[in-house]
Amino acid sequence: MSCTTILIGKNASYDGSTIVARNDDSGSGRYDPKRFVAVRPEDQPRHYVSELSHMTKDLPDDPCLYSIVPNALPGRGILAEAGASVRNVAMSATETIAVNERVLGADPMVAFKPAQGEPGTPEYRAEQPGGIGEEDFITLVLPYVHTAREGVERLGALLERYGTYEANGIAISDVDEIWYVETIGGHHWIARRVPDDCYAAIPNQLGLDDFDLEDALGDQREFMCSADMREFIESNHLDVSMDADPHHLNPRRLFGTRSAKDHIYNTPRAWYMQRYLNPSDDWDSPSARYTPISDDIPWCRRPESKIGIEDVDFLMSSHFEGTPYDPYGTEGTEETRRRYRPIGINRNGQLVALQIRPYVSETNRSVMWISYGSNPFTSLAPFYANVSQTPAYLNNTTAEVTTDSFYWTNRIIAALADPHYVANSNHIEHYRENVLSYGHRLIARTDEAVDSAEADAQVNNIARSEEPGEVFGDLELANQAMADYLKAQTQDLLSKVLYTSSNLMRNAFAMSDR
């Protein structure tokens, strides 16, 4: 179970954008290299075959252009992970979650079953395809929808038709709304719209703690779900509330888990994100309302200050700074510093913050802030999503370890800096400051140029494209400029970290002959 997600409503963000951010973390002992690629309509499959589950599906013939950050190595399917389309819809998939045994008994996962025996013999059993999962969601949904709400509807229909083999949370956003979908068993699902003035902090745990079933089965203003959700809950005795409310459910209690492992792996991450964004609350005293092992930390809250990209970068890189639980810190004891699973860990593969901005033209509205590798040692950098090609520094990732790749360079930096974190922390802090500030400047300059060109085109009544903003030149040039700067800064950081860590090697000796 890996990954951490934060969702930021448009009135809770610093500039009125919707922001969806997620760390894509690999399982223990595995590291998944990442790429940044654009998928043109002609490259989108028309007949889809899932590599993991062998599910097959014919897809519509009208996909749009979209950009994703998938796994770089073969063997586990596309695993698009995070993406934004030319229609300014974004999607992050997935946040691995867990449902309880009662749910799994009522609606088992749809697992792939390989063929058994030899064809033509009585013992032969043909393979049974499984459902859809993290490998498939973005590819099957994102290029076909025009709004986040439409994305939820399409994803829900796919889950009901094909089922799933795993429990996941999926975020889908547009310029106005963010929706969060949680799969419930093999074929059921629920979804909630993030309140505009709130953020949602989500570790690997079923998170929704309030659900209006009447709205979900009626007007669907803020909630959606499987059409048979009421019957599913009632016939399988899933509502364990002592004071049952027919209108409002607590999905976390009905469908989720509450275990000792959650208190090590999940709840501390939600606690730390809310501690940072609502600092005036009591988080640390013996009488604190919420602690790192609280099972009732709210799914969403209104922040005390509006949330910026820098806050996202810090939180998704964080390791419990300022608490006794920081593995790089000096507070607490050796035991407390290793007690909980941090957000920024060695197994971070990529972080993408999907920002959809209301104050610029549709051409350049969607920005993907991207970093690769272990987040405490890198920085988010912005790249426009509406492009037909992406910079080599971010898309050329292979199995070869090379400093020509952003992913591998960060992995090298992290491994060198980790044993000497304090000694290297200033280098990393300056790197992050340089990359983020350059990124903001570059986006502002590019926005001005593109928006001016869009305005001129409208004045002259020039039709630029059938889709919103399929105009690649300025955006691709900006992305390349960002990649060039990022590469120079990352190479410089590698040089500094290598020098600093070399001087701190255990076989160092001060005396020399010159």
Side-chain angles (χ1 to χ4, degrees):
M1 293 170 57
S2 300
C3 308
T4 309
T5 295
I6 185 167
L7 313 175
I8 303 164
K10 61 185 180 182
N11 295 337
S13 74
Y14 73 108
D15 67 344
S17 299
T18 57
I19 301 175
V20 168
R22 170 178 161 267
N23 284 344
D24 174 24
D25 307 336
S26 62
S28 179
R30 191 183 73 239
Y31 300 90
D32 295 322
K34 303 297 176 180
R35 304 175 62 210
F36 173 39
V37 298
V39 183
R40 304 184 188 196
E42 59 268 28
D43 298 326
Q44 174 74 359
R46 282 1 185 224
H47 180 72
Y48 182 78
V49 180
S50 174
E51 189 162 347
L52 297 182
S53 71
H54 295 204
M55 182 278 300
T56 62
K57 178 175 175 53
D58 289 328
L59 295 176
D61 198 33
D62 60 347
C64 71
L65 174 76
Y66 64 109
S67 295
I68 55 175
V69 187
N71 279 13
L73 304 184
R76 297 178 61 214
I78 296 174
L79 280 167
E81 301 296 357
S85 78
V86 67
R87 295 168 180 162
N88 294 307
V89 180
M91 192 169 176
S92 179
T94 65
E95 186 69 33
T96 305
I97 58 176
V99 293
N100 62 51
E101 293 83 354
R102 298 187 309 279
V103 172
L104 293 175
D107 184 10
M109 297 298 183
V110 184
F112 166 68
K113 296 180 181 179
Q116 296 182 352
E118 293 295 327
T121 66
E123 296 79 19
Y124 177 70
R125 298 290 182 272
E127 75 171 29
Q128 296 182 32
I132 58 175
E134 181 174 347
E135 172 193 351
D136 317 296
F137 290 144
I138 290 178
T139 303
L140 296 180
V141 173
L142 184 59
Y144 306 104
V145 299
H146 297 78
T147 66
R149 183 180 294 265
E150 187 181 334
V152 174
E153 294 168 348
R154 178 172 174 84
L155 176 60
L158 290 168
L159 289 168
E160 292 171 19
R161 167 67 178 83
Y162 295 96
T164 184
Y165 52 84
E166 57 189 2
N168 280 310
I170 304 100
I172 310 176
S173 63
D174 57 32
V175 72
D176 293 312
E177 297 185 327
I178 302 173
W179 284 84
Y180 186 65
V181 182
E182 291 183 323
T183 64
I184 308 298
H187 299 85
H188 291 82
W189 58 277
I190 56 177
R192 182 179 176 183
R193 182 180 182 272
V194 178
D196 290 340
D197 62 347
C198 289
Y199 69 91
I202 308 169
N204 294 119
Q205 192 174 27
L206 196 144
L208 294 178
D209 57 359
D210 180 69
F211 194 81
D212 187 338
L213 190 59
E214 296 298 319
D215 180 55
L217 297 174
D219 295 336
Q220 299 184 340
R221 292 185 300 270
E222 307 290 333
F223 301 86
M224 288 190 271
C225 68
S226 307
D228 66 341
M229 183 57 69
R230 189 191 303 279
E231 293 77 14
F232 178 66
I233 293 170
E234 292 176 354
S235 62
N236 293 288
H237 313 289
L238 296 178
D239 192 348
V240 296
S241 305
M242 290 298 290
D243 301 308
D245 182 338
H247 299 292
H248 284 271
L249 306 173
N250 185 333
R252 192 184 300 173
R253 191 172 299 158
L254 270 65
F255 309 128
T257 61
R258 183 171 60 183
S259 68
K261 288 183 177 180
D262 285 324
H263 296 160
I264 296 170
Y265 200 82
N266 293 320
T267 55
R269 285 182 277 160
W271 171 81
Y272 190 76
M273 286 191 280
Q274 295 199 9
R275 182 182 184 271
Y276 177 84
L277 294 171
N278 292 87
S280 64
D281 288 6
D282 176 12
W283 296 97
D284 301 303
S285 80
S287 60
R289 173 67 182 85
Y290 301 112
T291 74
I293 61 172
S294 293
D295 292 311
D296 58 348
I297 297 173
W299 178 72
C300 68
R301 292 191 67 176
R302 189 174 187 271
E304 293 179 20
S305 301
K306 293 191 174 186
I307 303 169
I309 295 297
E310 292 71 36
D311 298 309
V312 172
D313 197 34
F314 170 78
L315 283 172
M316 303 302 268
S317 307
S318 61
H319 38 85
F320 305 121
E321 290 94 321
T323 77
Y325 314 117
D326 183 357
Y328 298 116
T330 57
E331 298 183 39
T333 65
E334 182 61 25
E335 186 278 326
T336 64
R337 290 193 288 270
R338 306 297 298 179
R339 183 180 297 176
Y340 300 133
R341 184 264 203 215
I343 296 172
I345 58 172
N346 62 328
R347 294 183 281 112
N348 298 140
Q350 50 102 326
L351 164 61
V352 177
L354 301 160
Q355 181 184 19
I356 307 180
R357 304 167 307 148
Y359 50 84
V360 294
S361 68
E362 292 184 346
T363 297
N364 47 315
R365 182 162 287 176
S366 295
V367 174
M368 300 172 67
W369 294 78
I370 299 172
S371 69
Y372 292 163
S374 185
N375 290 325
F377 306 95
T378 187
S379 172
L380 284 171
F383 295 89
Y384 288 101
N386 181 16
V387 293
S388 62
Q389 58 184 355
T390 56
Y393 189 53
L394 283 85
N395 73 20
N396 67 352
T397 315
T398 66
E400 179 187 2
V401 179
T402 170
T403 55
D404 287 332
S405 160
F406 181 41
Y407 174 83
W408 288 115
T409 307
N410 174 265
R411 284 284 310 282
I412 295 168
I413 290 169
L416 290 171
D418 175 83
H420 314 291
Y421 180 81
V422 173
N424 284 294
S425 60
N426 278 344
H427 302 322
I428 298 163
E429 182 180 344
H430 292 153
Y431 169 81
R432 178 173 284 128
E433 180 182 277
N434 290 343
V435 171
L436 285 167
S437 58
Y438 179 85
H440 280 299
R441 289 197 305 274
L442 179 65
I443 292 295
R445 290 199 302 267
T446 307
D447 283 344
E448 184 178 0
V450 172
D451 290 345
S452 296
E454 287 285 324
D456 290 343
Q458 292 175 13
V459 168
N460 293 303
N461 198 26
I462 300 173
R464 305 197 72 177
S465 170
E466 293 181 3
E467 289 285 3
E470 279 193 9
V471 182
F472 308 122
D474 290 338
L475 304 187
E476 291 180 357
L477 288 173
N479 283 0
Q480 188 59 54
M482 186 70 246
D484 292 343
Y485 183 85
L486 182 64
K487 183 174 184 179
Q489 289 291 313
T490 304
Q491 291 296 113
D492 182 63
L493 177 61
L494 173 61
S495 176
K496 291 174 179 174
V497 167
L498 177 61
Y499 177 80
T500 299
S501 297
S502 295
N503 287 334
L504 297 172
M505 291 172 64
R506 297 184 66 171
N507 64 351
F509 201 79
M511 183 183 296
S512 66
D513 60 357
R514 61 180 67 194

